[in-house]
Amino acid sequence: MNDAGRPTPAPQKLILLGRVTGAFGVRGDVKVESWTEPRAQIFRYQPWILRAPNGAERELRGARGRDTGKHVVATLPGCDDRDAAEALRGTEILVPRETLPPPAPGEYYWVDLEGLKVVTVEGVALGEVSHLLSTGANDVLVVRGERERMIPFVQPDYVTGVDFEAGTVTVDWDPDF
């Protein structure tokens, strides 16, 4: 509850979509490393939450840009010269989870899996999904319980089910491993 007696809203889930890598030109444009596919798709998801390297966050609306082939270049409201653009180097670009389209069947946003309980097919609780890692070969669930486990997110070999209603990920995994 907040001071007015109203429930405090749950913090919104944010998705990291990219980061500012530096200035582009002298008019305040910035180079963006985008993790969307295609890269310029990052401009479809707004507002942006800009998180500076020191952790300070601010909301930004109206970012526009283009993929030049070598870089994604963004024009940001209020960023009018090279110094202002360079000051944004290292800033992360996040968007609220609800701005993204629903995933296709059998696909998941990592942030939606975080916090789910992980149980084996035999019903043994292993802990909760802390986060996921990308290894190149496959994604990996990092499960924290009485100890940390790393389980390949390979369906149906190791991950046999994801049930958002029950809040669980079922895995075919030896609890002793």
Side-chain angles (χ1 to χ4, degrees):
M1 295 276 188
N2 63 21
D3 293 339
R6 291 186 301 269
T8 304
Q12 64 181 349
K13 290 183 177 184
L14 298 175
I15 307 286
L16 180 64
L17 293 186
R19 67 184 171 91
V20 177
T21 59
F24 183 86
V26 296
R27 295 189 177 134
D29 289 345
V30 294
K31 292 186 281 188
V32 170
E33 180 179 11
S34 171
W35 298 307
T36 62
E37 191 58 46
R39 298 184 316 173
Q41 189 84 357
I42 194 168
F43 299 107
R44 292 194 59 185
Y45 308 117
Q46 297 205 31
W48 286 0
I49 308 300
L50 299 181
R51 182 181 294 153
N54 68 4
E57 292 182 357
R58 69 181 173 101
E59 184 175 296
L60 178 97
R61 293 178 183 272
R64 54 188 172 79
R66 65 197 180 284
D67 188 341
T68 67
K70 187 173 183 182
H71 304 287
V72 173
V73 177
T75 301
L76 308 178
C79 187
D80 300 323
D81 62 43
R82 186 173 182 84
D83 291 338
E86 195 56 44
L88 292 172
R89 182 185 294 269
T91 297
E92 295 178 330
I93 301 166
L94 303 107
V95 298
R97 164 63 180 90
E98 60 270 8
T99 65
L100 299 176
E107 293 182 358
Y108 310 97
Y109 288 114
W110 286 7
V111 71
D112 294 341
L113 297 172
E114 293 171 359
L116 295 182
K117 293 178 178 22
V118 179
V119 297
T120 67
V121 291
E122 291 85 20
V124 177
L126 300 179
E128 289 186 353
V129 177
S130 166
H131 60 282
L132 286 94
L133 300 171
S134 180
T135 64
N138 53 264
D139 298 329
V140 175
L141 284 173
V142 178
V143 179
R144 292 202 176 129
E146 79 282 349
R147 64 185 175 95
E148 186 175 89
R149 292 179 174 85
M150 295 189 172
I151 302 172
F153 196 93
V154 177
Q155 295 178 292
D157 299 345
Y158 302 115
V159 176
T160 62
V162 175
D163 185 341
F164 288 108
E165 284 188 25
T168 59
V169 176
T170 304
V171 296
D172 190 357
W173 196 255
D174 184 344
D176 295 325
F177 188 68

